[in-house]
Amino acid sequence: MKNKFLTNFKQAALGAAVCLITMASCDSDNNTERPSSFTLNREDLRGTITDGEVVLSSGTYKLTGKLEVSNGATLTIEPGVIIEATDVTTAQQEIRYIAVGQGAKINVKGTATNPVVMTATKKSAGAWGGLVICGKAPINKGQTATAEVSELTYGGTDANDNSGSVRYLRLEYTGYSFNEEKEFNGLSMFGVGKGTTIEYVQAYEGSDDGFEWFGGTVDSRYLVVVNKSTQGSSFVADDMFDWTEGWNGTGEFWFGWKTNDGNRGIEADNNSVNHKATPISNPTLRNLTLVGNRGGSTEDQAVKMRVGTNGNLDNVVIANWATGFDIQHDEGIAFINDGSLKATNVRFVNVGTKVKGSSTAGAAVDIAKMVTENANAVGAGNGVDQPDWAKGWTVGF
């Protein structure tokens, strides 16, 4: 017994000595960190992370320009960190946004009780850019393309590409606009692969879309959009959720709510130039609630699907919209006719026209068979009300 004790003591002492000599903690989290040449300045967060891992560990960081994570580098954000974009006061200043390039990773490690918050000093929609992630998964705009914001390359052939993990993140006051055709969303996912984790993310008071998928295969769960701003027509938000360019992922537990005159709950496209471009946008959505402001917008549709997108929706609650499902163009009508484009277990609450179809030529088409109703559908979990999983880490309810 005595010899065994001495042996164990020597082994423990040797392990402690190794930790001291290497000046590294013995816990697993610190052992995974890699040195970076990036200079981290809490009051002036901007620049390009080109190597290693940069960790934002506590408190508030002032985002004063573009923060880009490039190939081979990692940005890790610990629970409770606040990133606050400062005001853009002149046209010559850098736009504030965070972009993750191909081959780079972002790890947002928020929790239900201590989320990560990306916000702005100016508490109004469109104050800063938002978060952009570019991956190597397939798109239908070409094998690769250039992102409309960030100007980074995205797309490729790796459906399982991994851009990291984003959990319990709140994005506030995003949607900075260069012009009417070029503006940021809350979270923009360009060719993001299925190896990436996106869950428990809120887009709050953005001036463009809350979430948008540009192709890719990433799955996205537990997403929240809340828009209430009435500060002017340019800042009341576009769509809650938007996909295009061949997105083929799964969406589960989405909750969208607006009380202002913003646009649709979902705007869904395949490819506006070539409606049959492959891969065809064809996500599977489950457990979805979209609450609108009926009569408050000329684009008052809960779900608008056009230019060749397919999709499968189940357990959906649609409330307070002029139109529930608006399906446009011949390709979408064909998907309804072959049974692949459908919405099952749908509950309509205060919806004017439940379904509306039109051909490419603009002729009305009967698409009633697309929808199967269920008065007991619960959508994201609690019907038209805030679901339990969205309590505590979100705002605006």
Side-chain angles (χ1 to χ4, degrees):
M1 291 293 291
K2 182 178 180 181
N3 290 339
K4 184 177 181 180
F5 173 80
L6 289 173
T7 299
N8 290 341
F9 178 82
K10 291 177 180 177
Q11 290 174 341
L14 179 60
V18 169
C19 286
L20 288 172
I21 291 170
T22 59
M23 299 183 69
S25 170
C26 287
D27 67 66
S28 58
D29 287 343
N30 285 336
N31 281 343
T32 63
E33 292 181 16
R34 296 170 291 122
S36 175
S37 60
F38 182 80
T39 300
L40 181 61
N41 185 338
R42 184 182 292 272
E43 299 299 320
D44 187 18
L45 181 61
R46 59 176 172 160
T48 302
I49 303 171
T50 59
D51 55 17
E53 180 182 24
V54 171
V55 180
L56 308 187
S57 57
S58 64
T60 299
Y61 294 79
K62 298 291 187 179
L63 184 66
T64 56
K66 174 186 71 174
L67 179 64
E68 181 180 321
V69 191
S70 62
N71 183 34
T74 299
L75 174 64
T76 295
I77 308 174
E78 298 289 350
V81 165
I82 298 172
I83 298 175
E84 189 174 60
T86 58
D87 291 350
V88 179
T89 56
T90 69
Q92 287 74 37
Q93 285 189 309
E94 280 190 275
I95 309 307
R96 284 79 162 122
Y97 66 94
I98 298 173
V100 181
Q102 289 186 316
K105 286 186 171 61
I106 182 170
N107 293 317
V108 176
K109 302 170 71 174
T111 68
T113 57
N114 209 13
V116 170
V117 179
M118 297 182 182
T119 186
T121 55
K122 183 180 179 181
K123 307 302 182 186
S124 60
W128 71 292
L131 176 59
V132 177
I133 304 176
C134 296
K136 300 178 182 179
I139 61 174
N140 66 25
K141 197 177 180 180
Q143 182 163 319
T144 62
T146 301
E148 66 180 33
V149 288
S150 79
E151 298 183 352
L152 293 174
T153 299
Y154 69 101
T157 59
D158 186 358
N160 295 312
D161 186 40
N162 183 354
S163 295
S165 174
V166 177
R167 301 187 78 248
Y168 288 105
L169 169 65
R170 195 164 69 238
L171 292 153
E172 301 177 344
Y173 311 111
T174 60
Y176 184 91
S177 176
F178 293 97
N179 53 55
E180 291 184 359
E181 301 298 324
K182 184 178 179 182
E183 53 191 339
F184 288 89
N185 305 298
L187 175 57
S188 301
M189 291 161 278
F190 290 89
V192 177
K194 197 170 286 292
T196 309
T197 297
I198 304 289
E199 57 186 23
Y200 298 102
V201 185
Q202 180 184 17
Y204 174 69
E205 294 291 32
S207 66
D208 196 42
D209 302 325
F211 299 87
E212 184 161 5
W213 294 259
F214 297 83
T217 54
V218 65
D219 299 329
S220 309
R221 302 181 176 90
Y222 301 104
L223 306 184
V224 178
V225 180
V226 174
N227 288 318
K228 296 182 175 181
S229 173
T230 57
Q231 66 189 76
S233 60
S234 297
F235 298 96
V236 296
D238 192 3
D239 310 303
M240 297 173 180
F241 306 95
D242 192 328
W243 70 74
T244 186
E245 296 182 17
W247 178 46
N248 276 269
T250 296
E252 296 182 286
F253 296 100
W254 292 4
F255 186 92
W257 178 40
K258 73 181 183 73
T259 60
N260 61 17
D261 296 344
N263 287 339
R264 311 169 187 94
I266 291 176
E267 180 181 275
D269 297 336
N270 183 50
N271 186 299
S272 59
V273 176
N274 176 7
H275 296 188
K276 295 184 178 181
T278 58
I280 299 288
S281 294
N282 189 17
T284 297
L285 306 185
R286 307 185 189 98
N287 312 322
L288 169 69
T289 294
L290 300 172
V291 182
N293 179 28
R294 183 175 172 180
S297 170
T298 57
E299 300 288 356
D300 198 1
Q301 305 112 330
V303 180
K304 183 173 183 176
M305 304 178 74
R306 61 189 183 184
V307 299
T309 186
N310 204 342
N312 191 318
L313 298 81
D314 182 60
N315 185 23
V316 182
V317 173
I318 291 175
N320 302 337
W321 299 91
T323 303
F325 293 88
D326 186 349
I327 312 302
Q328 300 180 357
H329 300 114
D330 294 346
E331 295 81 7
I333 302 301
F335 289 138
I336 293 173
N337 289 335
D338 70 21
S340 58
L341 174 53
K342 59 185 177 181
T344 54
N345 296 305
V346 179
R347 176 157 66 103
F348 295 100
V349 181
N350 188 31
V351 174
T353 301
K354 292 179 178 178
V355 292
K356 177 183 177 181
S358 57
S359 67
T360 301
V365 180
D366 183 359
I367 60 167
K369 64 183 179 182
M370 171 192 171
V371 175
T372 303
E373 294 189 49
N374 179 355
N376 297 314
V378 297
N382 199 19
V384 299
D385 297 319
Q386 181 184 19
D388 289 342
W389 55 261
K391 294 178 178 178
W393 60 277
T394 60
V395 293
F397 288 94

